Amino acid sequence: MVTKRCVTCGRETTDYVSFKCPVCEEEIVRCETCRAKGNPWVCPTCGYTDG
Ligand SMILES: [Zn+2]
Ligand SMILES: [Zn+2]
């Protein structure tokens, strides 16, 4: 199992979804909690946000 750090809440989690930033293609990781709540994310590399 791989542990990743959620970009929204900063928690390390194994229950996450990941996708690429549309701008810089950095991997974006969101934990299931933040995904379910619809919490906005910010790319840690380029600062792009979906919110
Ligand atoms: Zn989270
Ligand atoms: Zn980015």
Side-chain angles (χ1 to χ4, degrees), residues 6 8-11 31 34:
C6 171
T8 296
C9 67
R11 277 191 295 235
C31 70
C34 290

Side-chain angles (χ1 to χ4, degrees), residues 21-26 28 43-48:
C21 172
V23 175
C24 69
E25 300 198 332
E26 180 73 15
I28 305 295
C43 174
T45 300
C46 73
Y48 178 84

Side-chain angles (χ1 to χ4, degrees), residues 2-20:
V2 180
T3 301
K4 301 268 190 179
R5 187 179 295 276
C6 171
V7 300
T8 296
C9 67
R11 277 191 295 235
E12 293 197 344
T13 179
T14 56
D15 188 15
Y16 64 88
V17 292
S18 68
F19 52 95
K20 285 187 173 182

